[in-house]
Amino acid sequence: MRNGRLRTTSLRLRTVVAILVLLTVLLTALVVAVEAVLGARLTAQVEDRLRDRASAAAALVGVLDASDLADRLSAQGLSVRIVEPDGAAVEAGPSPEQLRKGPPDPAGLPGPAARSSAAPSTTASSSSDGAAVTSSSVHEDDGVLTLRTDLADGTRITLTAGTRDVQETLTQLGWVMGGASAAFLGVAVVGVVLVVRRSLRPLDEMTAAARCITAGDRGRRLRPSRTDTEIGRVALALDEMLDAVEGAEAQAVAAEERVRSFLSDAAHELRTPVAGVRAAADTLVRNGPADPATNEVLAVHVVRQADRAARLVDDMLTMARLDRGIALDRRPTDLVDWLAAEVERLRIRLPGPDIRVEVPEHPVAADVDPDRLAQVLGNLVDNAARATGGAGTVRISLGAGRDEARLRVEDDGPGIPEADRERVFDRLVRLEDARDTRSGGAGLGLPIARGIVRAHGGSLVHGADGGLGGAVFDVRLPAGAAGAGRAASLMPYASVVEW
């Protein structure tokens, strides 16, 4: 989390509690549903029983005497009330209050039906068809179920059955299912804990691996067998993060080592001119004005050593700017015109070597910073001049390809061994043959040149052996639009002009 604190509640506890709560809710819903369905079913059976008895009683009305009919119905544990058409009422069986208390005891049932009024009893009809049912209604009230049936001849039969046994059955079922659910939850707790612990074991392995890595085992990795699962993706991400961290650590260590080496080499390079300046200055102070000739030589030496130290400091500042990202003043440039102007300056500054130039007749366009590119060319030519002892041949070739401009600088010096052709681009690296304090080189010219060329999006490498037999450096730059006054053309060479 970018902001706030990461919740670190136990994942095992949260998973187990969530599963158990879900199971509890499901089991409770199951018990409630079973009791509701079974209760409705048992109540419907009692109602069907009352309707069957009412239908049978309706068929016997007029066939049996009301008292006999009531006795037959009450013998089945029902509370019976028959109201005849003349208003006489006959009751038999347990009362509704007794039915609410529980199932009737057959030994305690009342005797024959008794009339509740003094009205004379009607004689049974000789009809065998009974009386038709005109209407019926069911009423349930606190442990009893009452069915009232009205017949066509005016007789009203009221049958009441107790539902206490239904409630007791549901209660017993609830206790049984509740106990079974509790036992099931107990087993589920043990099972879920074991399953969750086993399922989360890879997290313990990841934790152990992380602690081992923290303790110093940097090469340890999780290497998940599958990367399409949640834990596999986490393990893969952790491995990738560790690879990145290890790589960054290695780069940081290497960078620190390079900085230390650079500081050591820079101090060594600066120590020589500084020591020379100090020694010459001490001699000047001791001699005083007594020896003008010696003092002049010492003064010249001081100036040369100070100039050498200043160049070294300037080169180190340039390297620092390249590391931060140097700003380029890029603009479309015709490299043919640019090279002509730079070669004239180089010939004035370096009159000793024979500098030859080969360029195509057509323009060679590139989008570059002319001043920075001149610094690259100057470093390469300076190296070539030092390699040839200041009196050899240096050849500069300019060409154009389909998407790039090519600049080559070669000399007729001893060349660079193949094993050192990449090492010479490291900072403060000078080959043994070039370690001459009078040369003024500190091993920063080629690294600076490569850094400037790469800032342009190009490359600087030691090329294949040239025709002069010495060192060969190839500069490749992305092609660009030609400057004003020259046609933009990157055609193959029509001819080569040598200055």
Side-chain angles (χ1 to χ4, degrees):
M1 296 177 65
R2 182 174 299 178
N3 298 317
R5 297 169 62 89
L6 179 65
R7 295 180 59 186
T8 55
T9 307
S10 173
L11 185 58
R12 289 186 177 89
L13 179 62
R14 290 168 58 186
T15 304
V16 171
V17 170
I19 293 176
L20 293 181
V21 169
L22 179 60
L23 288 177
T24 302
V25 171
L26 293 177
L27 289 175
T28 302
L30 177 63
V31 171
V32 172
V34 168
E35 288 188 350
V37 172
L38 183 59
R41 180 61 179 169
L42 294 177
T43 302
Q45 290 179 354
V46 174
E47 183 179 341
D48 292 341
R49 176 188 171 197
L50 292 179
R51 292 186 183 277
D52 291 342
R53 299 301 178 267
S55 298
L60 294 176
V61 169
V63 177
L64 295 178
D65 181 76
S67 298
D68 294 338
L69 181 58
D71 290 337
R72 290 191 179 188
L73 294 175
S74 64
Q76 302 177 11
L78 302 178
S79 176
V80 183
R81 178 180 173 84
I82 301 176
V83 179
E84 297 178 290
D86 59 2
V90 178
E91 296 181 357
S95 64
E97 289 74 14
Q98 293 175 333
L99 292 176
R100 287 190 181 94
K101 295 179 181 179
D105 184 4
L109 292 178
R115 294 181 181 271
S116 60
S117 66
S121 175
T122 58
T123 305
S125 171
S126 61
S127 173
S128 62
D129 295 334
V133 177
T134 60
S135 64
S136 63
S137 60
V138 178
H139 176 68
E140 185 176 5
D141 180 25
D142 190 22
V144 295
L145 187 65
T146 302
L147 175 64
R148 178 177 173 177
T149 304
D150 295 328
L151 304 181
D153 63 351
T155 302
R156 185 170 65 250
I157 301 175
T158 302
L159 302 179
T160 302
T163 58
R164 189 75 178 182
D165 55 346
V166 174
Q167 299 299 326
E168 291 179 354
T169 301
L170 295 179
T171 301
Q172 293 176 359
L173 177 64
W175 281 106
V176 171
M177 294 192 68
S181 299
F184 175 79
L185 287 176
V187 175
V189 168
V190 177
V192 169
V193 169
L194 294 177
V195 171
V196 170
R197 179 178 300 175
R198 183 177 181 85
S199 300
L200 298 183
R201 186 177 300 171
L203 294 181
D204 295 334
E205 296 177 0
M206 294 169 64
T207 302
R211 288 176 176 170
C212 290
I213 293 170
T214 303
D217 188 6
R218 297 291 192 269
R220 182 168 181 177
R221 294 295 182 269
L222 297 172
R223 295 182 179 86
S225 58
R226 295 183 57 183
T227 59
D228 57 344
T229 62
E230 294 81 0
I231 295 180
R233 287 192 293 268
V234 173
L236 180 61
L238 183 60
D239 282 351
E240 292 175 348
M241 181 188 69
L242 292 174
D243 290 338
V245 170
E246 187 177 16
E249 182 183 17
Q251 292 177 1
V253 171
E256 183 179 3
E257 185 63 28
R258 286 196 301 269
V259 169
R260 289 178 179 177
S261 177
F262 177 76
L263 292 177
S264 176
D265 292 341
H268 175 75
E269 295 292 339
L270 284 173
R271 182 175 59 184
T272 300
V274 170
V277 170
R278 183 176 180 179
D282 289 342
T283 304
L284 286 172
V285 171
R286 287 195 303 268
N287 288 345
D291 190 356
T294 303
N295 291 344
E296 182 179 358
V297 173
L298 292 174
V300 172
H301 180 71
V302 169
V303 171
R304 288 178 177 175
Q305 294 298 326
D307 182 63
R308 180 184 176 190
R311 289 200 306 270
L312 180 59
V313 172
D314 289 340
D315 288 344
M316 287 191 294
L317 289 176
T318 302
M319 289 301 304
R321 294 190 185 99
L322 288 172
D323 290 339
R324 292 196 307 266
I326 191 170
L328 299 177
D329 182 17
R330 304 180 69 157
R331 53 184 179 270
T333 303
D334 179 10
L335 297 184
V336 175
D337 293 343
W338 167 84
L339 183 59
E342 293 302 324
V343 168
E344 290 301 323
R345 297 188 184 95
L346 290 172
R347 284 172 174 166
I348 294 174
R349 184 166 61 85
L350 301 171
D354 179 16
I355 302 178
R356 302 177 183 179
V357 180
E358 296 179 359
V359 297
E361 292 183 346
H362 57 78
V364 177
D367 187 18
V368 298
D369 184 338
D371 295 334
R372 290 295 183 183
L373 192 59
Q375 186 177 358
V376 173
L377 180 63
N379 284 339
L380 295 178
V381 174
D382 285 343
N383 284 341
R386 283 195 295 270
T388 59
T393 300
V394 179
R395 183 165 61 194
I396 304 173
S397 305
L398 179 65
R402 182 179 182 87
D403 299 317
E404 64 181 9
R406 299 188 297 268
L407 180 66
R408 167 172 285 198
V409 178
E410 53 184 316
D411 59 64
D412 60 353
I416 300 176
E418 186 174 355
D420 296 326
R421 290 181 179 179
E422 184 61 28
R423 192 171 67 90
V424 293
F425 291 101
D426 294 337
R427 302 176 184 183
L428 297 175
V429 171
R430 293 184 303 177
L431 302 182
E432 295 297 330
D433 294 340
R435 290 189 178 276
D436 182 4
T437 58
R438 296 173 297 175
S439 68
L444 291 176
L446 289 178
I448 290 174
R450 172 174 274 187
I452 294 175
V453 173
R454 286 180 173 176
H456 282 82
S459 63
L460 170 59
V461 297
H462 190 286
D465 294 338
L468 299 181
V472 180
F473 293 97
D474 287 333
V475 178
R476 298 180 182 272
L477 298 167
R486 301 285 301 222
S489 174
L490 294 179
M491 297 182 300
Y493 299 145
S495 61
V496 175
V497 178
E498 183 174 346
W499 301 339

